[in-house]
Amino acid sequence: MVIVLKEIRVGLVGYKFMGKAHSLGYRNVPFFFPDRARPVLKAIAGRNEEGVRKAAKELGFESYETDWRELIKRDDIDLIDIVTPNHSHAEIAIAAAEAGKHVICEKPLALNAEEAERMLAAAEKNGVVHMISHNYRFAPAVQYAKKLIEEGRLGKIYHVRATYLQDWLMDPDFPIAWRLKKEITGSGALGDIGAHIIDLTRFLVGEMTEVVGAMETFIKERPIENEPGKTGVVDVDDAASFIARFENGAMGVFEATRFAAGSRNRNCFEINGEYGSIKWDLENMNNLHVYLSEDDEGLQGFRVINCTEEVHPFADAYWPAGHIIGYEHTFVNLISELMEAISKKKSQKPDFFDGLQNQLILDAIEQSAIDKKWVSIPQRANHIRV
Amino acid sequence: MVIVLKEIRVGLVGYKFMGKAHSLGYRNVPFFFPDRARPVLKAIAGRNEEGVRKAAKELGFESYETDWRELIKRDDIDLIDIVTPNHSHAEIAIAAAEAGKHVICEKPLALNAEEAERMLAAAEKNGVVHMISHNYRFAPAVQYAKKLIEEGRLGKIYHVRATYLQDWLMDPDFPIAWRLKKEITGSGALGDIGAHIIDLTRFLVGEMTEVVGAMETFIKERPIENEPGKTGVVDVDDAASFIARFENGAMGVFEATRFAAGSRNRNCFEINGEYGSIKWDLENMNNLHVYLSEDDEGLQGFRVINCTEEVHPFADAYWPAGHIIGYEHTFVNLISELMEAISKKKSQKPDFFDGLQNQLILDAIEQSAIDKKWVSIPQRANHIRV
Amino acid sequence: MVIVLKEIRVGLVGYKFMGKAHSLGYRNVPFFFPDRARPVLKAIAGRNEEGVRKAAKELGFESYETDWRELIKRDDIDLIDIVTPNHSHAEIAIAAAEAGKHVICEKPLALNAEEAERMLAAAEKNGVVHMISHNYRFAPAVQYAKKLIEEGRLGKIYHVRATYLQDWLMDPDFPIAWRLKKEITGSGALGDIGAHIIDLTRFLVGEMTEVVGAMETFIKERPIENEPGKTGVVDVDDAASFIARFENGAMGVFEATRFAAGSRNRNCFEINGEYGSIKWDLENMNNLHVYLSEDDEGLQGFRVINCTEEVHPFADAYWPAGHIIGYEHTFVNLISELMEAISKKKSQKPDFFDGLQNQLILDAIEQSAIDKKWVSIPQRANHIRV
Amino acid sequence: MVIVLKEIRVGLVGYKFMGKAHSLGYRNVPFFFPDRARPVLKAIAGRNEEGVRKAAKELGFESYETDWRELIKRDDIDLIDIVTPNHSHAEIAIAAAEAGKHVICEKPLALNAEEAERMLAAAEKNGVVHMISHNYRFAPAVQYAKKLIEEGRLGKIYHVRATYLQDWLMDPDFPIAWRLKKEITGSGALGDIGAHIIDLTRFLVGEMTEVVGAMETFIKERPIENEPGKTGVVDVDDAASFIARFENGAMGVFEATRFAAGSRNRNCFEINGEYGSIKWDLENMNNLHVYLSEDDEGLQGFRVINCTEEVHPFADAYWPAGHIIGYEHTFVNLISELMEAISKKKSQKPDFFDGLQNQLILDAIEQSAIDKKWVSIPQRANHIRV
């Protein structure tokens, strides 16, 4: 007999930007997906008591802890959600899994593949549901792109080009933050936003077999916050670019940077296949551009599709056609799938296998940038279910 | 001493598309605007008990009523929100105001100006806060457009062109729904979506003084739902277009239609002034296109601005720059303003003055379409506060 | 036996902007359309000898005249091309036709319908080929739009919205030019650019039966050129907008203005039909946006078609797909058709029937703006051949 | 005393697509640039007499030769223009230079850097003007981009990403043409279209110091034309992608492919600098997208600039603002500059130095694709004049 959970009690570790995004997701799943198991916002953990108390109130949690270890010990928590800086992911996730909690973790999964491997092992050994929060997979337009590719509408894939361009770091007076310290974050633009386009591309095109890349830190020294006159060395990349080859023969070109003036958050891809192409841009995330070479001569061109119709994935949960959704709904969709997975005790992609595989690619890119040559990528992800 | 309400107890009449949109708005105001008075979803009213019970659960209301009169009688309700078909707006709104409830009503305010006038009188007489739900005013890009105009960045306004194009009614087999019956809805495309572009334009450009228009019903007979073989006459417009002149000398060109193939929800405007122009399109609602003739020679062109930066109205309540919001957030913003207005007992635009003024314009367009000549518009809106 | 002319000897009256555009057209027809009769640039006429001599040299004419009457008298001229200000069109065109010359005339055909009627009568009586230079009909994307409509791909037409937006007149210090004097130009924005969208719409959608419009002069007084300190009254419109109804039941909304900041030359239309829609914009004139509701569910959206493929009208005369053409090629195409018509002594649309019909519409709009009511349009155009 | 030539007598070798494009350029320089030395189309050379005779007539040449050596011998030729397949460039160009003729050659300059080096040496030794036909440098929007960069409007350059995407080769039944044979063409997509984006990028951003790339032939065997049932091996690349580093610290990402479904001719670049960014796309080549971070907060966004205003490079030779030009005008502009250079005996970029430098980069990319590691690029281009 399968016990189907009706409510899933959530403990969140961390409460900054991602904490807000995840909390909104939990908040709205019952509204948009009333048939799914209902998340209950039990507790939030953070080291600063004042901060975490305020966060608990604003984000809608019933209680708080100042030590995540206490959160994990609690009996009234089913799921641990980790939105802390990268260097703490492994310890928390492993502890949570060992305590039998389901786990969702922000990306990148870890500081390196070795950590990721241990996280995966812990989750698998303890039979918990594990997921990595690559939310962009859950944009309706991206899901629809996946569907078109799986149906063979594009045929064999020849090319993918993906960029994640931001510009928030261009001011040389912007101080060193945790995202700029290697010991805390692992890498810079590469792990932060490059990880997203790696994951999206693997989701849509398949596994990469080898990569060659370059990394650069344009501003090598920055002021230290609250220490007037002092500067520190930036030891992570401002930008990373790489070329990849895929198992299925496709070629990929990638770029992640925080130095693309005018691009606040341009997570974009274009995929070219035998019978057509698709393009997507996060800043206008409801639209998918689709070209089909089967169209009549003269009538061939990229279609701009507003993926808000009933037929588009997740769209029927929202509003009538032409009434768009936004960034936060990628989390609502992701969490609705997570609720379903936990309630039915099944796996849900992207999981720690994906997190590990993404990490192996990140590591390979870093290695190739050091060695100045192509690097092969070990294959660890399974592909049982998307 | 001013008593500032901390919680505002909401009674919602109706629960279809707009019921869902308003409910989501109430749900998320505390999350995104934690400093505002908190809406409490007390009760929802609808005639069909099964339907309203289900709606109460899904939309998050504590209780339900099958007669809106009961809802209005309740002591534990501060605000009546009316999302029923148009022909019932006047009766409910007047009863609510008479009972001392604050009122927000979906657009168009009424079936005609006479009804709207009575609604306004009741609300004013009883000193309640009254608002009409023209949510598109509250898109950050629209608010920012307003700001630019008020700051004089466009100078004197010469032109406005606005369209609201939809295509959901083009199938001749689409049955007669309440939106296609004059006695229930007043008018067709004109009152349903034309009202939105009239309101947006008044908000941005100012008051219209005269109009001339045309209305058309392309499919004059349609099947009656659940009565196989029977058809009924469509007595409202499928499309309406009109030209207007404004108090400030601007010229306006408008079009509202449900027969624009490919336009699911294209609520668009362009405004041309002495020093610049702006353009907006609901389907990509985060973007505002701005042209400023003060730009250097050679560098003049429409800028595509993603209105998601801290400096853009309402944007700091949401996500970092480049992380877009969607349709529903226009309601979150609107309701956050309504909460503020009620808690401080102040008026908030658009109110019943606006609803009445919009209705006077709708009536004038209908009259001009009959008389085939220009019709003057009486002025009833006040402009105290936006 | 039909005599097919191999060369057509051209006499051009006028040599400003349109003189240059037409001359380039004649120059390049033999290059792009080698099978067509070859235009020979015999002579150019203008009142200022220095100016016309220089123009002859630069535009590639063999000789010049300082009186157009002399040009018409010459035996070595087959075709008179009129690119002078509007008030001289009728006299020149009638004289040319009386002299047995074929005639092409810039738009608008005349100052009013009465003049246009006499021009048409003269051309028809003398059996000469007559054409009006509405070059935008000859953009490949526009011709392709026409083809799609004629093939029924859009079905019954419901809507057309067309704008011709410019901004060159917004500076109040811009002096009074001939285009701003009623006696020379007839009307302002209406006849100059409104005529284009009227013609394009008639070409694509069919005949209009009635109109109602508004006209406005935003800057009513302007400096007189070379007379420092003096100003003159502008007696033509800066902007005109109007609504129309078509024979086939379609509704039209139109706007022509020289006061749309940021729009240098935005001649745009959108047409909505039963089965689809098309959009076009002169500033990106190679692209046609096409929506077809027959597309699979989920894959519906406007396609951006770069009309540079062999299958697109006129495109095979030019470059491989994706290599765009420009404004001047509308004239090359138009003149290649004119050469064909003259060499085979057949009529070619748009002709003086069209010029007259466009003029009847322009007159009706002016009348409606004065009377403030709808005005019916007499039907004079024939539709034998496009 | 400098003798300024008034006429420059042209001998063209080859007459296919590029022959037509160059001929149109020569044809229209006197029309659009009346002050420049006038090209006289003296003779055209090709091996097939019937073909070359027809070409002479259609393209407007006075005479023809069936052996390019005869053309070079002629006294009445000042300039040899080489538009033949790549493997013949070196021999013809060297012979022309040795004969004291000025030379312009299609891209890529040669089959490899060694050939290019010899071509450059011959041209320099004989003191002739030499140019390579990288026409895209001469699009007004590209020239304007160059101007903005030189003026420092973008500041230090951080990134360039450039693609040249086509799709004409995707049909596996498309036969082996000369562009698919290594002995004739040198490389495939890389040399044909990759060369363009290399040249454009060097023009705009500066010299590259090292590259790493990948090349791929997706369809490895194709039918042989006119030999039914027979297939041949494709020994050039269908696609090439590479990463580059620039002397000035910028990073570059590049892709050239003939397998991007839906992209007929998408030659695009985006450049990100310290103070702003620019974007360009050949299929809408009149537009330049410019972002300037100096814009007021809230008003920051990419501007879409239609580079047809007097202030834009070359634009005053053409039409009023908003009246676009097309692909062919890149050749008109290029040749007008060539005429100026020859008439004044001065050098004009891009010249054989550029052709050589581009070739060194092409060779390095090929080498890196074989060695699977980064390859350094020798520096041979001079930068005296753009």
Side-chain angles (χ1 to χ4, degrees), chain B residues 102-117:
Chain B
H102 306 294
V103 194
I104 178 166
C105 184
E106 259 304 316
K107 36 55 53 184
L109 193 58
L111 293 183
N112 51 55
E114 180 273 328
E115 277 189 6
E117 192 78 70

Side-chain angles (χ1 to χ4, degrees), chain B residues 138-170:
Chain B
F138 296 90
V142 171
Q143 290 277 327
Y144 190 60
K146 172 74 172 175
K147 184 168 173 285
L148 292 175
I149 291 170
E150 289 201 331
E151 289 173 0
R153 298 296 292 251
L154 304 196
K156 179 175 158 56
I157 303 300
Y158 291 127
H159 289 289
V160 56
R161 61 198 63 87
T163 58
Y164 205 136
L165 310 181
Q166 296 186 337
D167 66 355
W168 58 274
L169 201 53
M170 296 187 70

Side-chain angles (χ1 to χ4, degrees), chain B residues 7 20 68 71 74 86 222 252 282 327:
Chain B
E7 289 194 342
K20 182 176 172 184
W68 59 263
L71 190 73
R74 284 171 59 159
N86 308 339
R222 289 182 175 275
L282 175 59
Y327 166 71

Side-chain angles (χ1 to χ4, degrees), chain A residues 156-161 163 165 167 170 172 210 212-216 218-219 238-243 245 249-264 266 270 272-277 279 291 293 300-302 368-369 371-374, chain D residues 156-161 163 165 167 170 172 210 212-216 218-219 238-243 245 249-264 266 270 272-277 279 291 293 300-302 368-369 371-374:
Chain A
K156 178 175 161 51
I157 303 300
Y158 291 127
H159 290 289
V160 56
R161 61 197 64 86
T163 58
L165 310 180
D167 65 356
M170 295 187 70
E210 51 175 355
V212 64
M215 298 170 78
E216 185 62 58
F218 293 116
I219 310 270
D238 289 332
S241 49
F242 62 100
I243 304 177
R245 288 187 177 272
M251 300 175 78
V253 173
F254 296 82
E255 206 175 355
T257 180
R258 292 159 171 168
F259 275 71
S263 287
R264 299 297 188 256
R266 213 142 51 86
E270 173 169 350
N272 306 127
E274 200 176 355
Y275 309 132
S277 295
K279 292 193 268 194
Y291 175 89
S293 53
Q300 296 179 342
F302 275 90
S368 87
D371 297 348
K372 304 205 74 169
K373 61 181 190 191
W374 288 79
Chain D
K156 180 175 158 54
I157 303 301
Y158 291 127
H159 289 290
V160 55
R161 58 196 66 86
T163 58
L165 310 180
D167 65 355
M170 295 187 70
E210 52 175 353
V212 63
M215 299 171 77
E216 185 62 58
F218 294 115
I219 311 269
D238 289 334
S241 50
F242 61 101
I243 303 176
R245 286 186 178 273
M251 301 175 78
V253 173
F254 296 84
E255 207 176 354
T257 180
R258 293 158 170 169
F259 276 70
S263 287
R264 299 296 189 255
R266 211 140 54 85
E270 173 169 350
N272 306 127
E274 201 176 355
Y275 309 133
S277 295
K279 292 193 267 191
Y291 174 89
S293 54
Q300 297 179 342
F302 276 91
S368 87
D371 297 348
K372 305 204 74 168
K373 62 180 188 190
W374 286 80

